[in-house]
Amino acid sequence: SQTIHQWPATLVQPVGSPLSLECTVEGTSNPNLYWYRQAAGRGLQLLFYSIGIDQISSEVPQNLSASRPQDRQFILSSKKLLLSDSGFYLCAWSVGRGAYNEQFFGPGTRLTVL
Amino acid sequence: ILNVEQSPQSLHVQEGDSTNFTCSFPSSNFYALHWYRWETAKSPEALFVMTLNGDEKKKGRISATLNTKEGYSYLYIKGSQPEDSATYLCALNSGGGADGLTFGKGTHLIIQP
């Protein structure tokens, strides 16, 4: 069966510090991978998606970047965190394309930038 | 920017009562609609994926309907139980890159014993 892991579960970082959040998927090949963020008072927002190794698309301009160095590994990074980067970050995966393409979510990382 | 709205934002329901809430979305951007249940300290769990106008899906005591022409979906819970307490999210797939989803803010449901 497929599983998705995210770490760390919680993170408190000072403004201006770097960030690296990791997501890995097991039990599937060539998944689509996604990073979502829920900021305070807002819905989940799609930040990045990837359909393959080193293929990253950004949905919104921001202070963050994503990388996919391996088929089932998706990394969210920042060189210098802003207060507005605080939120709950969810990684998700799916396989294939189409209207019934279901996404499966990881446990999430709560990031607080102080 | 797509706008997916959910109402109400929060809802308190007595155990045993039935309830429903709404998701509205721009009908011109419709490809599919997803419903998720998100319990505290857990990952969002997929409930339904709906694509056809007039479609109705059911899972146990939970059901959903879809109107793609007017851009709304209803989620119904019959005979609410404490374990139904969660945030219910709807998300629009507008057919964009890799089927990325646009989520509403959710309806936070609390079932009172």
Short mmCIF file of all heavy atoms in Angstrom, two decimals, chain A residues 33-65:
data_model
loop_
_atom_site.label_atom_id
_atom_site.label_comp_id
_atom_site.label_asym_id
_atom_site.label_seq_id
_atom_site.Cartn_x
_atom_site.Cartn_y
_atom_site.Cartn_z
N LEU A 33 3.22 15.11 -7.47
CA LEU A 33 3.43 15.55 -6.09
C LEU A 33 3.04 17.01 -5.96
O LEU A 33 3.19 17.80 -6.91
CB LEU A 33 4.89 15.35 -5.68
CG LEU A 33 5.37 13.89 -5.63
CD1 LEU A 33 6.88 13.82 -5.41
CD2 LEU A 33 4.64 13.13 -4.54
N TYR A 34 2.53 17.36 -4.80
CA TYR A 34 1.98 18.70 -4.57
C TYR A 34 2.41 19.21 -3.20
O TYR A 34 2.51 18.43 -2.25
CB TYR A 34 0.44 18.68 -4.59
CG TYR A 34 -0.19 17.97 -5.76
CD1 TYR A 34 -0.35 16.58 -5.75
CD2 TYR A 34 -0.65 18.67 -6.86
CE1 TYR A 34 -0.93 15.92 -6.81
CE2 TYR A 34 -1.25 18.01 -7.93
CZ TYR A 34 -1.39 16.64 -7.90
OH TYR A 34 -1.98 15.99 -8.96
N TRP A 35 2.62 20.52 -3.11
CA TRP A 35 2.75 21.22 -1.83
C TRP A 35 1.60 22.21 -1.71
O TRP A 35 1.38 23.02 -2.60
CB TRP A 35 4.07 21.99 -1.73
CG TRP A 35 5.26 21.17 -1.35
CD1 TRP A 35 6.33 20.86 -2.12
CD2 TRP A 35 5.52 20.56 -0.07
NE1 TRP A 35 7.23 20.10 -1.43
CE2 TRP A 35 6.76 19.90 -0.16
CE3 TRP A 35 4.83 20.53 1.15
CZ2 TRP A 35 7.33 19.21 0.91
CZ3 TRP A 35 5.39 19.83 2.20
CH2 TRP A 35 6.63 19.18 2.08
N TYR A 36 0.88 22.10 -0.58
CA TYR A 36 -0.19 23.03 -0.24
C TYR A 36 0.18 23.71 1.08
O TYR A 36 0.88 23.15 1.91
CB TYR A 36 -1.52 22.32 -0.05
CG TYR A 36 -2.15 21.76 -1.29
CD1 TYR A 36 -1.85 20.47 -1.74
CD2 TYR A 36 -3.08 22.50 -2.01
CE1 TYR A 36 -2.44 19.96 -2.88
CE2 TYR A 36 -3.69 21.98 -3.15
CZ TYR A 36 -3.38 20.71 -3.57
OH TYR A 36 -3.98 20.20 -4.70
N ARG A 37 -0.38 24.90 1.28
CA ARG A 37 -0.20 25.60 2.55
C ARG A 37 -1.54 26.14 3.01
O ARG A 37 -2.32 26.68 2.21
CB ARG A 37 0.78 26.76 2.42
CG ARG A 37 0.90 27.60 3.72
CD ARG A 37 1.96 28.67 3.59
NE ARG A 37 1.60 29.68 2.60
CZ ARG A 37 2.47 30.54 2.10
NH1 ARG A 37 3.74 30.51 2.47
NH2 ARG A 37 2.06 31.43 1.22
N GLN A 38 -1.78 26.01 4.32
CA GLN A 38 -2.93 26.67 4.92
C GLN A 38 -2.40 27.74 5.86
O GLN A 38 -1.84 27.42 6.91
CB GLN A 38 -3.81 25.69 5.69
CG GLN A 38 -5.07 26.35 6.23
CD GLN A 38 -5.99 25.36 6.91
OE1 GLN A 38 -5.55 24.55 7.71
NE2 GLN A 38 -7.29 25.44 6.61
N ALA A 39 -2.56 29.00 5.46
CA ALA A 39 -2.20 30.10 6.33
C ALA A 39 -3.39 30.41 7.23
O ALA A 39 -4.52 29.99 6.96
CB ALA A 39 -1.83 31.32 5.49
N ALA A 40 -3.15 31.16 8.30
CA ALA A 40 -4.20 31.47 9.27
C ALA A 40 -5.39 32.13 8.58
O ALA A 40 -5.23 33.11 7.84
CB ALA A 40 -3.64 32.40 10.35
N GLY A 41 -6.59 31.57 8.80
CA GLY A 41 -7.80 32.16 8.26
C GLY A 41 -8.02 31.94 6.78
O GLY A 41 -8.92 32.53 6.19
N ARG A 42 -7.23 31.07 6.19
CA ARG A 42 -7.35 30.84 4.75
C ARG A 42 -7.52 29.35 4.43
O ARG A 42 -7.25 28.50 5.27
CB ARG A 42 -6.12 31.40 4.03
CG ARG A 42 -5.91 32.88 4.28
CD ARG A 42 -4.83 33.44 3.39
NE ARG A 42 -5.19 33.36 1.98
CZ ARG A 42 -4.43 33.81 1.00
NH1 ARG A 42 -3.27 34.36 1.26
NH2 ARG A 42 -4.82 33.71 -0.26
N GLY A 43 -7.96 29.07 3.24
CA GLY A 43 -8.06 27.69 2.80
C GLY A 43 -6.72 27.16 2.32
O GLY A 43 -5.76 27.92 2.13
N LEU A 44 -6.68 25.87 2.08
CA LEU A 44 -5.47 25.27 1.54
C LEU A 44 -5.16 25.87 0.17
O LEU A 44 -6.03 25.90 -0.70
CB LEU A 44 -5.64 23.76 1.39
CG LEU A 44 -5.50 22.93 2.65
CD1 LEU A 44 -6.01 21.52 2.40
CD2 LEU A 44 -4.06 22.90 3.12
N GLN A 45 -3.94 26.30 -0.02
CA GLN A 45 -3.54 26.91 -1.27
C GLN A 45 -2.45 26.08 -1.93
O GLN A 45 -1.45 25.75 -1.28
CB GLN A 45 -3.04 28.33 -1.02
CG GLN A 45 -2.62 29.08 -2.28
CD GLN A 45 -2.06 30.45 -1.98
OE1 GLN A 45 -1.44 30.68 -0.94
NE2 GLN A 45 -2.29 31.38 -2.89
N LEU A 46 -2.62 25.77 -3.19
CA LEU A 46 -1.61 25.03 -3.93
C LEU A 46 -0.40 25.92 -4.18
O LEU A 46 -0.53 27.01 -4.74
CB LEU A 46 -2.17 24.53 -5.26
CG LEU A 46 -1.23 23.75 -6.17
CD1 LEU A 46 -0.79 22.45 -5.50
CD2 LEU A 46 -1.90 23.46 -7.50
N LEU A 47 0.78 25.45 -3.76
CA LEU A 47 2.01 26.22 -3.94
C LEU A 47 2.80 25.71 -5.15
O LEU A 47 3.22 26.50 -6.00
CB LEU A 47 2.89 26.10 -2.68
CG LEU A 47 2.28 26.57 -1.37
CD1 LEU A 47 3.25 26.30 -0.22
CD2 LEU A 47 1.91 28.04 -1.44
N PHE A 48 3.04 24.41 -5.18
CA PHE A 48 3.84 23.80 -6.24
C PHE A 48 3.25 22.45 -6.60
O PHE A 48 2.64 21.79 -5.77
CB PHE A 48 5.29 23.57 -5.80
CG PHE A 48 6.04 24.80 -5.41
CD1 PHE A 48 6.11 25.18 -4.09
CD2 PHE A 48 6.68 25.57 -6.38
CE1 PHE A 48 6.80 26.32 -3.71
CE2 PHE A 48 7.38 26.71 -6.01
CZ PHE A 48 7.43 27.09 -4.68
N TYR A 49 3.48 22.04 -7.85
CA TYR A 49 3.21 20.66 -8.21
C TYR A 49 4.32 20.17 -9.12
O TYR A 49 5.02 20.96 -9.75
CB TYR A 49 1.83 20.48 -8.84
CG TYR A 49 1.64 21.14 -10.19
CD1 TYR A 49 2.00 20.51 -11.37
CD2 TYR A 49 1.07 22.41 -10.27
CE1 TYR A 49 1.81 21.12 -12.59
CE2 TYR A 49 0.87 23.02 -11.49
CZ TYR A 49 1.24 22.38 -12.65
OH TYR A 49 1.06 22.98 -13.86
N SER A 50 4.43 18.84 -9.17
CA SER A 50 5.49 18.23 -9.97
C SER A 50 4.97 16.96 -10.61
O SER A 50 4.37 16.12 -9.94
CB SER A 50 6.70 17.91 -9.09
OG SER A 50 7.64 17.13 -9.79
N ILE A 51 5.20 16.81 -11.90
CA ILE A 51 4.78 15.61 -12.61
C ILE A 51 5.93 14.65 -12.85
O ILE A 51 5.73 13.56 -13.39
CB ILE A 51 4.07 15.95 -13.93
CG1 ILE A 51 5.02 16.70 -14.87
CG2 ILE A 51 2.81 16.76 -13.68
CD1 ILE A 51 4.47 16.87 -16.27
N GLY A 52 7.16 15.05 -12.46
CA GLY A 52 8.30 14.16 -12.64
C GLY A 52 9.55 14.77 -12.05
O GLY A 52 9.55 15.94 -11.61
N ILE A 53 10.62 13.99 -12.04
CA ILE A 53 11.89 14.46 -11.48
C ILE A 53 12.31 15.76 -12.13
O ILE A 53 12.30 15.88 -13.37
CB ILE A 53 12.98 13.38 -11.66
CG1 ILE A 53 12.63 12.15 -10.83
CG2 ILE A 53 14.34 13.92 -11.24
CD1 ILE A 53 13.57 10.99 -11.06
N ASP A 54 12.67 16.73 -11.30
CA ASP A 54 13.15 18.04 -11.74
C ASP A 54 12.12 18.83 -12.55
O ASP A 54 12.47 19.83 -13.17
CB ASP A 54 14.44 17.90 -12.56
CG ASP A 54 15.60 17.38 -11.71
OD1 ASP A 54 15.61 17.66 -10.50
OD2 ASP A 54 16.48 16.69 -12.26
N GLN A 55 10.86 18.41 -12.52
CA GLN A 55 9.79 19.14 -13.22
C GLN A 55 8.89 19.77 -12.16
O GLN A 55 8.07 19.09 -11.56
CB GLN A 55 8.98 18.21 -14.12
CG GLN A 55 9.79 17.56 -15.22
CD GLN A 55 8.93 16.66 -16.08
OE1 GLN A 55 8.05 17.12 -16.78
NE2 GLN A 55 9.19 15.38 -16.03
N ILE A 56 9.07 21.07 -11.95
CA ILE A 56 8.36 21.78 -10.89
C ILE A 56 7.58 22.93 -11.51
O ILE A 56 8.13 23.67 -12.34
CB ILE A 56 9.33 22.37 -9.85
CG1 ILE A 56 10.34 21.31 -9.38
CG2 ILE A 56 8.56 22.98 -8.68
CD1 ILE A 56 9.76 20.18 -8.61
N SER A 57 6.34 23.08 -11.09
CA SER A 57 5.54 24.23 -11.52
C SER A 57 5.07 24.97 -10.28
O SER A 57 4.64 24.35 -9.29
CB SER A 57 4.34 23.79 -12.34
OG SER A 57 4.74 23.19 -13.54
N SER A 58 5.15 26.28 -10.33
CA SER A 58 4.73 27.11 -9.21
C SER A 58 3.40 27.75 -9.53
O SER A 58 3.20 28.26 -10.65
CB SER A 58 5.78 28.21 -8.95
OG SER A 58 5.31 29.10 -7.97
N GLU A 59 2.50 27.72 -8.56
CA GLU A 59 1.18 28.28 -8.78
C GLU A 59 1.09 29.73 -8.35
O GLU A 59 0.27 30.48 -8.86
CB GLU A 59 0.12 27.46 -8.00
CG GLU A 59 -0.18 26.13 -8.65
CD GLU A 59 -0.92 26.31 -9.98
OE1 GLU A 59 -2.04 26.84 -9.99
OE2 GLU A 59 -0.34 25.93 -11.02
N VAL A 60 1.87 30.12 -7.37
CA VAL A 60 1.80 31.50 -6.88
C VAL A 60 3.21 32.01 -6.65
O VAL A 60 4.09 31.26 -6.23
CB VAL A 60 0.98 31.59 -5.57
CG1 VAL A 60 -0.47 31.31 -5.83
CG2 VAL A 60 1.51 30.66 -4.51
N PRO A 61 3.45 33.29 -6.95
CA PRO A 61 4.77 33.86 -6.66
C PRO A 61 4.97 33.95 -5.15
O PRO A 61 4.05 34.28 -4.41
CB PRO A 61 4.69 35.26 -7.28
CG PRO A 61 3.24 35.58 -7.33
CD PRO A 61 2.52 34.27 -7.52
N GLN A 62 6.15 33.60 -4.69
CA GLN A 62 6.34 33.57 -3.25
C GLN A 62 7.82 33.47 -2.93
O GLN A 62 8.66 33.41 -3.81
CB GLN A 62 5.61 32.37 -2.68
CG GLN A 62 6.06 31.07 -3.30
CD GLN A 62 4.94 30.06 -3.25
OE1 GLN A 62 4.32 29.88 -2.21
NE2 GLN A 62 4.68 29.41 -4.36
N ASN A 63 8.06 33.35 -1.65
CA ASN A 63 9.39 33.29 -1.10
C ASN A 63 9.92 31.87 -1.02
O ASN A 63 10.96 31.62 -0.45
CB ASN A 63 9.32 33.91 0.32
CG ASN A 63 10.66 33.99 0.98
OD1 ASN A 63 11.65 34.36 0.36
ND2 ASN A 63 10.72 33.61 2.26
N LEU A 64 9.20 30.91 -1.58
CA LEU A 64 9.54 29.51 -1.42
C LEU A 64 9.93 28.91 -2.76
O LEU A 64 9.60 29.44 -3.82
CB LEU A 64 8.32 28.75 -0.86
CG LEU A 64 7.76 29.26 0.46
CD1 LEU A 64 6.41 28.61 0.73
CD2 LEU A 64 8.73 28.96 1.59
N SER A 65 10.62 27.78 -2.70
CA SER A 65 10.95 27.02 -3.90
C SER A 65 10.75 25.55 -3.60
O SER A 65 10.66 25.14 -2.43
CB SER A 65 12.39 27.30 -4.35
OG SER A 65 13.29 26.89 -3.34
#
